[in-house]
């Protein structure tokens, strides 16, 4: 799988008709990509080794309530297709944060870009470390040898092949992911004794929980926390995330981009559901001898590799297929992140400071250098991850911290014409600070033991005698501590919602204090279609339309055009 991925990079660098020597080719694939490969790439961008290993562990430890997260995915995809994507597609921008300068100013744009780069920089090392750890556990290979090899291959094909190499390697990798997940799921079900046995054993342990309608926001997972929190999280990840939007913009038409987004929704629903069901199968196999309690494994994230090795006794090659799927998830996420970061750093941080005479080949070379440097930093950070056991949880919190404020800023820009740049910037900063405060406070409370998540029951009654006698002890009495501050107890799924709402409300309030924008002077193409039809087409006092629709000729748009030139095109 690694060898094929590397060959794809070589092909698009040296043998394809287009050699990825322009920013349009390197970041957008020349806008000639097909629906199937881009759809697969979008799915691969979302699925990581953390998903493949973490979701089954979640089902095993806490039950199936989180499975409901697949329901909001369709609605978030439709919201993206009809309200967000048309704006980016009409403006034909390379970086989503480029929009923030067109709508607000360069300060807001830089704020969004920096948050995105930091988020990816923290996330990718974990994405690589998790499958490398699984590989080390299954094979005994040195973790320090696996990680650099994997990263070097990923950097190699991402640097040489650009967007097209990323998309086509993602396509192969996502097929491997689905194949590995399906084989493990089916063989596990057979090993346990059939689908009926899986459901029966999970039902007896009260793991099958889908419709907990408790309105208490402090309950970790309820129907409402999962649906509302997942909808906003999906919206942030799909609608304004550079990695996702960049691939949609590589499609020739908006209609094709919308079809791609719909396939993405069903693809994610499928892989998440497979991972959730696999978690139920794992419990059904270990229902009377919990491997965590008996110290056969150290933590829940190791459940799936342990499960695979358990059922692989009579199927040679199954561990290799499984690990190929896990590494495929990691490589696809890493390559997508590096390609997107290269576009953001170049377009938002370097390009504004370059002279207008920079050639396309020079720009492409700069982005390739960025990929190499960024990938090298990630390799180094993987070894930091190894020393910091709680970084995975901290990184997930970081994702929520940044997602809410960024989504709030884009909503201010596309849906509130009267919001100004001062309001957007201050709102984003305040939203970031609030969610960071809640997240860090929650982690501190959990470290002190004042917040505990209650797992579903497990048993060791069926273990062999020596394990049973060693670990069948009376449960310790848990000291009751004073409950922490209310916001620290709010479900982590609401962090994105809180950050988004606080950013929007603060942004509108600051805009009111500093003076709302005059919507008669705003450019119509910068707003969502629903705002154009409901607000911006209202007639002014003199009977004329408040705004005229502005269209940028996408066929003539060149990625080397400066931001000021784009603003002038819009105004003209």
């Amino acid at each position: 799988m690694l060898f094929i991925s590397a060959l794809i990079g070589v092909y698009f660098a040296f043998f394809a008709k287009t050699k990825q020597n322009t920013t349009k080719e390197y970041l957008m694939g020349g806008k000639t990509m097909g629906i199937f490969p881009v759809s697969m790439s979008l799915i691969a961008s979302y699925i990581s080794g953390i998903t493949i290993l973490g979701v089954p562990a979640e089902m095993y430890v806490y039950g199936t309530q989180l499975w409901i997260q697949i329901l909001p995915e369709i609605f978030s995809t439709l919201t993206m297709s009809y309200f967000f994507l048309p704006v980016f597609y009409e403006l034909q921008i390379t970086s989503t944060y480029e929009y923030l300068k067109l709508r607000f100013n360069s300060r807001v744009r830089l704020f969004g870009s920096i948050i995105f780069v930091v988020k990816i920089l923290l996330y990718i090392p974990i994405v690589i470390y998790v499958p490398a750890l699984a590989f080390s556990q299954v094979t005994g290979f040195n973790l320090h040898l696996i990680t650099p090899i994997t990263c070097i291959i990923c950097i190699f094909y991402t640097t040489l092949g650009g967007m097209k190499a990323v998309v086509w390697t993602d396509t192969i990798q996502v097929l491997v992911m689905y194949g590995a997940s399906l084989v493990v799921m089916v063989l596990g079900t057979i090993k346990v004794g059939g689908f009926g046995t899986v459901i029966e054993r999970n039902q007896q342990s009260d793991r099958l929980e889908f419709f907990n309608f408790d309105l208490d926001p402090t309950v970790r997972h309820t129907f409402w926390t999962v649906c509302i929190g997942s909808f906003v999280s999906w919206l942030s990840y799909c609608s304004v995330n550079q990695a996702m939007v960049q691939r949609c913009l590589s499609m020739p038409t908006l209609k094709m981009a919308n079809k791609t987004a719909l396939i993405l929704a069903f693809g994610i629903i499928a892989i998440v559901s497979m991972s959730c069901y696999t978690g139920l199968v794992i419990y059904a196999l270990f229902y009377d001898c919990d491997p965590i309690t008996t110290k056969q494994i150290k933590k829940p994230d190791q459940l799936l590799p342990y499960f695979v090795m358990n059922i692989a006794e009579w199927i040679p090659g199954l561990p290799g297929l499984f690990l190929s799927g896990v590494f495929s998830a990691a490589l696809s996420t890493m390559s997508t992140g590096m390609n997107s970061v290269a576009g953001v750093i170049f377009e938002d941080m370097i390009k504004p400071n370059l002279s207008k005479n920079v050639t396309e080949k020079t720009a492409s070379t700069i982005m390739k250098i960025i990929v190499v440097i960024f990938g090298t930093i990630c390799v180094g950070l993987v070894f930091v991850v190894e020393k910091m056991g709680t970084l995975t949880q901290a990184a997930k919190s970081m994702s929520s911290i940044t997602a809410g404020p960024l989504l709030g800023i884009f909503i201010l820009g596309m849906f509130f014409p009267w919001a100004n740049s001062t309001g957007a910037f201050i709102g984003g900063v305040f939203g970031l600070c609030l969610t960071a405060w809640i997240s860090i406070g929650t982690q501190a409370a959990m470290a002190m033991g004042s917040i505990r998540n209650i797992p579903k029951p497990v048993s060791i009654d069926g273990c062999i005698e020596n394990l049973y006698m060693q670990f069948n002890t009376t449960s310790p009495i848990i000291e009751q501590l004073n409950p922490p501050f209310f916001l620290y107890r709010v479900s982590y799924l609401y962090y994105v919602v809180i950050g988004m709402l606080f950013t929007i409300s603060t942004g509108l309030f600051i805009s009111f204090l500093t003076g709302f924008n005059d919507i008669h002077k705003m450019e119509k193409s910068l707003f969502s279609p629903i705002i154009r039809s409901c607000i911006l087409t209202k007639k002014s006092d003199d009977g004329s339309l408040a705004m005229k629709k502005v269209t940028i000729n996408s066929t003539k748009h060149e990625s080397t055009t400066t931001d000021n030139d784009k603003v002038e095109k819009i105004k003209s």
Side-chain angles (χ1 to χ4, degrees):
M1 188 274 293
L2 292 175
F3 180 69
I4 291 174
S5 299
L7 284 183
I8 291 175
V10 172
Y11 171 77
F12 283 109
F14 301 109
F15 300 103
K17 293 181 180 179
T18 54
K19 300 298 190 295
Q20 313 299 307
N21 289 329
T22 67
T23 53
K24 187 176 181 180
E25 284 290 341
Y26 194 78
L27 295 177
M28 298 295 184
K31 295 187 68 63
T32 58
M33 302 302 298
I35 291 178
F36 176 73
V38 174
S39 300
M40 295 300 101
S41 180
L42 287 171
I43 295 170
S45 300
Y46 169 76
I47 303 300
S48 69
I50 296 174
T51 305
I52 301 272
L53 298 177
V55 171
E58 170 68 31
M59 299 298 110
Y60 184 98
V61 177
Y62 295 109
T64 61
Q65 186 62 71
L66 188 63
W67 199 338
I68 295 294
Q69 68 177 312
I70 65 175
L71 295 181
E73 169 60 14
I74 295 294
F75 297 102
S76 64
T77 301
L78 293 175
T79 304
M80 169 190 177
S81 298
Y82 289 102
F83 299 129
F84 287 88
L85 199 54
V87 179
F88 294 121
Y89 206 91
E90 184 173 352
L91 294 175
Q92 286 298 299
I93 52 183
T94 304
S95 165
T96 54
Y97 307 105
E98 197 174 348
Y99 167 83
L100 296 179
K101 181 171 183 179
L102 297 175
R103 173 62 178 87
F104 298 115
N105 57 26
S106 56
R107 180 175 59 172
V108 179
R109 174 185 183 178
L110 185 61
F111 175 73
S113 301
I114 291 175
I115 290 179
F116 173 76
V117 172
V118 171
K119 175 183 174 181
I120 296 297
L121 192 62
L122 291 176
Y123 185 62
I124 287 181
I126 301 170
V127 166
I128 294 297
Y129 173 74
V130 170
L133 180 62
F135 187 87
S136 179
Q137 291 169 345
V138 170
T139 64
F141 276 43
N142 190 332
L143 177 68
H144 298 156
L145 178 63
I146 302 166
T147 302
I149 292 175
T150 307
C151 292
I152 288 171
I153 291 174
C154 188
I155 294 169
F156 174 78
Y157 72 74
T158 305
T159 303
L160 289 180
M163 166 67 86
K164 287 187 176 180
V166 169
V167 167
W168 280 107
T169 51
D170 283 354
T171 301
I172 293 175
Q173 290 159 5
V174 82
L175 294 177
V176 173
M177 267 190 281
Y178 277 106
S181 299
L182 183 63
V183 169
V184 170
M185 181 180 71
V186 172
L187 293 179
T189 302
I190 295 173
K191 172 86 172 180
V192 168
F195 177 77
T197 304
V198 173
I199 299 301
E200 179 184 356
R201 290 178 179 175
N202 281 275
Q203 195 168 23
Q204 290 173 353
S205 65
D206 198 30
R207 275 172 170 75
L208 301 182
E209 182 183 28
F210 297 101
F211 302 105
N212 178 2
F213 291 110
D214 192 342
L215 295 175
D216 185 357
T218 64
V219 178
R220 184 172 181 265
H221 288 159
T222 68
F223 181 85
W224 305 115
T225 58
V226 173
C227 283
I228 296 173
S230 296
F231 173 77
V232 178
S233 296
W234 286 120
L235 199 60
S236 173
Y237 185 78
C238 295
S239 300
V240 300
N241 183 286
Q242 168 70 13
M244 307 299 282
V245 175
Q246 182 178 332
R247 273 142 192 76
C248 289
L249 293 180
S250 69
M251 304 299 295
T253 65
L254 178 60
K255 186 176 181 180
M256 292 179 67
N258 287 334
K259 289 181 180 179
T260 300
L262 191 60
I263 295 173
L264 162 69
F266 287 107
I268 290 178
I269 288 173
I271 193 69
V272 169
S273 295
M274 290 167 65
S275 296
C276 289
Y277 176 73
T278 300
L280 300 185
V281 174
I282 294 173
Y283 175 76
L285 183 64
F286 301 126
Y287 77 104
D288 60 351
C289 187
D290 176 43
I292 303 175
T293 303
T294 55
K295 307 299 182 184
Q296 297 175 73
I297 57 176
K298 296 180 180 179
K299 50 186 179 180
D301 289 341
Q302 299 171 339
L303 277 167
L304 187 54
Y306 181 76
F307 170 77
V308 170
M309 294 305 296
N310 191 283
I311 67 174
E313 297 173 355
W314 50 283
I315 305 180
L318 178 61
L321 176 63
F322 161 70
L323 288 171
S324 294
V326 176
F327 270 99
S328 291
L331 284 174
S332 59
T333 304
M334 182 178 183
S335 62
T336 298
M338 289 193 299
N339 186 262
S340 302
V341 163
V344 169
I345 292 177
F346 178 76
E347 292 289 338
D348 298 343
M349 302 177 188
I350 297 178
K351 184 177 172 181
N353 299 314
L354 295 177
S355 62
K356 292 185 179 181
N357 354 341
V358 175
T359 64
E360 284 284 347
K361 188 173 182 179
T362 302
S364 176
T365 302
I366 292 174
M367 283 186 288
K368 291 177 181 179
I369 293 173
I370 293 172
V371 169
V372 173
I373 295 175
F374 191 84
T376 304
I377 294 173
C378 289
V379 174
L381 288 177
V382 170
F383 297 99
V384 178
V385 172
E386 184 184 12
K387 304 298 181 183
M388 301 175 66
T390 60
L391 189 59
T392 299
Q393 190 171 9
K396 290 181 180 179
S397 300
M398 173 62 72
S399 178
S400 299
I401 289 170
T402 58
L406 279 177
L407 179 61
I409 292 174
F410 277 98
I411 289 177
L412 278 173
M414 294 186 184
F415 294 89
F416 296 92
W418 45 88
N420 60 33
S421 57
T422 303
F425 180 77
I426 295 179
V429 172
F430 278 29
L432 189 70
C433 292
L434 176 65
T435 47
W437 168 51
I438 295 173
S439 177
I440 294 172
T442 301
Q443 299 305 317
M446 292 178 66
M448 293 186 295
S450 57
I451 295 180
R452 296 186 180 94
N453 297 317
I454 302 176
K456 296 295 184 181
V458 294
S459 171
I460 57 173
D461 293 341
C463 294
I464 58 177
E465 186 174 354
N466 59 340
L467 288 175
Y468 181 86
M469 295 300 295
Q470 183 176 357
F471 296 102
N472 187 26
T473 56
T474 306
S475 300
I477 299 176
I478 300 176
E479 181 184 357
Q480 297 295 323
L481 301 176
N482 294 327
F485 180 57
F486 172 77
L487 286 178
Y488 296 163
R489 292 182 283 122
V490 170
S491 171
Y492 71 96
L493 292 173
Y494 277 146
Y495 291 173
V496 182
V497 182
I498 293 171
M500 178 196 68
L501 294 177
F502 192 75
T503 298
I504 294 173
S505 57
T506 304
L508 291 175
F509 179 69
I510 298 298
S511 296
F512 169 74
L513 294 180
T514 56
F516 282 143
N517 286 330
D518 183 354
I519 66 172
H520 294 77
K521 297 180 180 179
M522 301 296 293
E523 305 300 336
K524 188 174 181 179
S525 59
L526 297 172
F527 300 98
S528 178
I530 191 173
I531 299 301
R532 301 176 195 174
S533 59
C534 296
I535 297 178
L536 302 183
T537 56
K538 291 182 179 180
K539 292 188 176 181
S540 59
D541 295 336
D542 60 359
S544 61
L545 288 179
M547 292 187 185
K548 293 181 180 180
K549 184 175 181 179
V550 180
T551 303
I552 297 179
N553 189 337
S554 61
T555 61
K556 294 182 179 180
H557 174 77
E558 297 292 340
S559 57
T560 53
T561 307
T562 63
D563 294 319
N564 291 332
D565 292 338
K566 290 176 183 175
V567 174
E568 291 303 320
K569 278 186 178 182
I570 294 175
K571 290 182 177 179
S572 64

